[in-house]
Amino acid sequence: MTIIVRRLALALLLSAAAVGSAAAQSNLRIGLAEDPDVLDPTLARTYVGRIVFASMCDKLFDIDEKMNIVPQLALSHQTSEDGKTVVIKLRPNVKFHDGEDFNADAAKYGLERHLGMKGSFRKPEIAAIDSIEVVDPLTLKLHLKQPFAPLLAQLTDRSGMMVAPKAAEAAGDKFGLHPVCAGPYKFVERVQQDRIVVEKFADYWNKDKVHIDKITYLPIVDSTVRLANLRSGGLDLIERVLATDIKTVREDKKLKLSKAVSLGYLGLTINIANGPKADNPLAKDARVRQALELSIDREALNQVVFNGEFVPGNQWISPQNPYYQQKFPIPKRDVAKAKALLKDAGVTTPLSIDFMVPNGVELRQVAEVVQSMAAEAGFDLKIRLTEFATSLKQAEEGNFQLYLIGWSGRTDPDGNSYSFQVCNQPLNNGKYCDKEVDAAHQEARVGADLATRKAAYEKVAAKVLNGGGPIIYLYHPQVLVAHTDKLEGYVQMPDGLVRVVGLTLK
């Protein structure tokens, strides 16, 4: 445990003791596993950022416990028979945190900002939108370039988050320093690597269901320290409980555990063509990538690191998902075949690989297990522990050969695959590019039913799995959230977000 982490833990404990129980009832303290990146829905890309946004930035649509799409800032939608026009009715009497009215003009502004702002990570998610028409103050009409099956699913996440137009225009690319949205809580302050504070918005459209005055998000990388602070009363809720700590949480009568199989995955992203570091056999030869995959026993990894609590997987969606490709089952570990593939590829072993790993207990353990397994096949994975936000930047710059990184997942499979597998997409850090894969993704996007879309994804799977693509998928996490028994009303959704509307803190 570093000195900084010890100090943070001590500070949290002291502040909890000093504040007293009365103030704690109106201040929900949430321990995050990392510090979020920029708090701008258009530019953001981190999972923890989405957790913070859940309190600040309402979306056009949301999901319920059964993954149904439900209204939030929108009231309803209607899609034309040809699938190219979507009419959205908006909720009346909604205000942004600066007092500006939310209406069709504001929604048009927010969507166009996602589509047009430099550096936007939302653009590929809703790029099918050709133009946006304001029909009346509470009606928006989206004209699409082509039918786009994942559209509503995208609008349940950051692409559907609405920002205050006047505040966004005034702040430009600095909007993330003081975000202004239409959610239940408004931004108060942020101290990097220390805290993010939001407070209840008095004019929230659903204010009768907001019962907690303030939320303080505290990034604490060390999961042991997060849990210790929860148990001592310094925190009220923590995300990403270690699977090995489930027993401890369940045995503590003052704590509750909420869990759900994540929509996301964790995998090994390979630098295929992003700069000089891609000049190596792993990047250039699919046989080497297949050998690396065959060196890994996913179930053993699950048992060793997660006590068997997670879900082994080899695709961008879990084996329980209706879009899972049964024709491509999880490959069994085969060290002999892995060695033969490396020999056929003319690789001299051990093959040294720069292996970037975000610094965290579980990810470090996963990396070490993968490193040990791969070594038996002839790989020398050089683990390079890197601060999380720094690793994202280095990945964009191509400063890696292998990168252990996950994705928190989306309700539609397009959200787990398109931006990672299609040429020149912003989350395609390895610069993988295959025109047949691109074409299959387009088929999946315009498909009107599950069977049609699944057939298109089968074409994708044939190209990107078993060493062909840029990611070796390892497992699908359980969303594990622990909280004090004084917090009531908490429901864990598969998207992993911490929804705060309806919560009470005794």
Side-chain angles (χ1 to χ4, degrees):
M1 193 186 309
T2 66
I3 293 174
I4 291 174
V5 171
R6 286 197 191 98
R7 285 176 180 168
L8 179 54
L10 179 60
L12 285 171
L13 292 172
L14 291 174
S15 66
V19 170
S21 60
Q25 291 177 356
S26 62
N27 180 17
L28 179 64
R29 298 155 299 169
I30 297 177
L32 302 176
E34 298 116 9
D35 195 32
D37 61 347
V38 61
L39 295 178
D40 183 331
T42 301
L43 303 175
R45 59 176 296 186
T46 60
Y47 167 51
V48 281
R50 293 172 66 223
I51 291 176
V52 175
F53 283 135
S55 69
M56 291 194 302
C57 300
D58 275 7
K59 305 157 292 189
L60 292 174
F61 299 93
D62 199 5
I63 61 168
D64 64 15
E65 299 97 312
K66 296 181 180 180
M67 302 296 297
N68 298 310
I69 295 174
V70 296
Q72 195 169 65
L73 291 178
L75 286 179
S76 65
H77 75 280
Q78 187 172 5
T79 303
S80 62
E81 286 190 15
D82 65 4
K84 295 179 67 175
T85 304
V86 180
V87 176
I88 298 175
K89 293 288 186 180
L90 302 177
R91 185 178 298 280
N93 304 314
V94 174
K95 287 190 177 295
F96 290 105
H97 298 151
D98 62 354
E100 187 176 2
D101 290 333
F102 169 73
N103 52 31
D105 285 318
K108 181 177 188 288
Y109 173 86
L111 291 171
E112 288 181 343
R113 185 175 189 267
H114 289 327
L115 286 166
M117 186 174 181
K118 182 180 180 182
S120 171
F121 283 103
R122 308 288 80 81
K123 182 177 180 179
E125 297 173 354
I126 55 172
I129 297 176
D130 187 41
S131 63
I132 303 167
E133 177 186 349
V134 173
V135 177
D136 61 48
L138 292 175
T139 307
L140 201 66
K141 183 180 287 187
L142 308 181
H143 299 279
L144 309 184
K145 300 171 185 174
Q146 57 193 18
F148 183 53
L151 178 63
L152 289 187
Q154 295 289 14
L155 297 179
T156 67
D157 207 271
R158 284 172 296 203
S159 286
M161 291 180 188
M162 298 289 100
V163 301
K166 290 179 182 177
E169 278 298 293
D173 61 1
K174 307 296 184 186
F175 179 78
L177 298 177
H178 194 107
V180 181
C181 295
Y185 289 81
K186 62 181 181 180
F187 178 83
V188 175
E189 68 167 341
R190 178 179 191 177
V191 179
Q192 293 279 1
Q193 304 293 335
D194 183 70
R195 66 186 181 274
I196 296 168
V197 181
V198 299
E199 65 182 14
K200 184 164 63 174
F201 177 45
D203 292 325
Y204 183 54
W205 63 268
N206 198 15
K207 61 185 177 183
D208 291 344
K209 292 187 178 180
V210 181
H211 309 299
I212 297 169
D213 295 326
K214 184 168 72 170
I215 303 174
T216 303
Y217 297 93
L218 298 146
I220 304 174
V221 174
D222 192 308
S223 52
T224 304
V225 175
R226 283 202 306 281
L227 180 56
N229 276 278
L230 177 66
R231 298 186 72 189
S232 67
L235 292 173
D236 303 302
L237 181 149
I238 61 173
E239 55 107 4
R240 269 177 283 181
V241 174
L242 295 182
T244 48
D245 285 333
I246 289 176
K247 185 172 182 288
T248 301
V249 173
R250 285 178 173 157
E251 290 176 349
D252 191 325
K253 294 180 180 179
K254 295 181 179 179
L255 302 182
K256 291 184 178 180
L257 181 74
S258 295
K259 58 188 290 190
V261 177
S262 170
L263 297 173
Y265 62 80
L266 190 125
L268 301 167
T269 294
I270 299 162
N271 186 348
I272 301 291
N274 190 358
K277 280 210 168 184
D279 187 13
N280 66 82
L282 184 67
K284 294 179 178 296
D285 198 320
R287 291 171 296 182
V288 179
R289 298 193 288 277
Q290 186 181 4
L292 178 58
E293 179 166 24
L294 288 172
S295 75
I296 300 168
D297 185 329
R298 289 169 170 85
E299 183 52 48
L301 174 66
N302 181 35
Q303 294 295 334
V304 170
V305 182
F306 306 112
N307 283 355
E309 294 279 351
F310 284 12
V311 179
N314 66 319
Q315 299 177 26
W316 53 95
I317 34 84
S318 77
Q320 291 81 13
N321 192 294
Y323 284 96
Y324 184 81
Q325 299 294 325
Q326 289 84 359
K327 290 185 180 180
F328 299 90
I330 299 172
K332 293 182 179 180
R333 190 181 193 223
D334 192 335
V335 174
K337 185 175 180 181
K339 288 180 176 179
L341 284 166
L342 290 177
K343 185 177 180 180
D344 289 346
V347 172
T348 301
T349 57
L351 176 61
S352 180
I353 300 292
D354 171 45
F355 187 19
M356 184 166 66
V357 179
N359 194 10
V361 175
E362 281 188 337
L363 289 182
R364 187 166 66 245
Q365 291 174 346
V366 170
E368 289 169 351
V369 172
V370 170
Q371 179 190 53
S372 177
M373 290 176 173
E376 295 181 29
F379 292 91
D380 180 17
L381 304 185
K382 305 285 190 184
I383 294 174
R384 176 163 56 90
L385 293 175
T386 309
E387 189 273 326
F388 177 64
T390 303
S391 75
L392 293 176
K393 187 173 187 300
Q394 293 198 9
E396 289 178 10
E397 296 169 349
N399 186 18
F400 73 101
Q401 292 177 331
L402 190 66
Y403 181 24
L404 184 67
I405 188 67
W407 179 243
S408 52
R410 301 296 181 266
T411 56
D412 190 279
D414 181 88
N416 283 12
S417 56
Y418 187 90
S419 282
F420 302 88
Q421 299 170 356
V422 170
C423 303
N424 301 314
Q425 292 304 305
L427 296 178
N428 185 351
N429 291 321
K431 302 298 183 187
Y432 172 79
C433 190
D434 185 301
K435 297 301 182 184
E436 291 182 16
V437 170
D438 290 10
H441 270 295
Q442 292 303 327
E443 285 182 41
R445 284 188 149 192
V446 301
D449 57 76
L450 189 149
T452 302
R453 299 185 71 205
K454 187 170 182 177
Y457 283 125
E458 183 181 326
K459 297 177 186 177
V460 174
K463 299 283 287 188
V464 306
L465 300 182
N466 299 328
I471 300 174
I472 297 173
Y473 303 94
L474 298 176
Y475 61 80
H476 307 277
Q478 285 273 9
V479 179
L480 297 171
V481 166
H483 61 82
T484 172
D485 63 357
K486 294 179 181 178
L487 184 67
E488 296 181 344
Y490 187 77
V491 177
Q492 187 56 62
M493 304 284 196
D495 62 4
L497 304 191
V498 177
R499 288 168 172 79
V500 294
V501 172
L503 299 185
T504 56
L505 193 60
K506 293 189 294 185

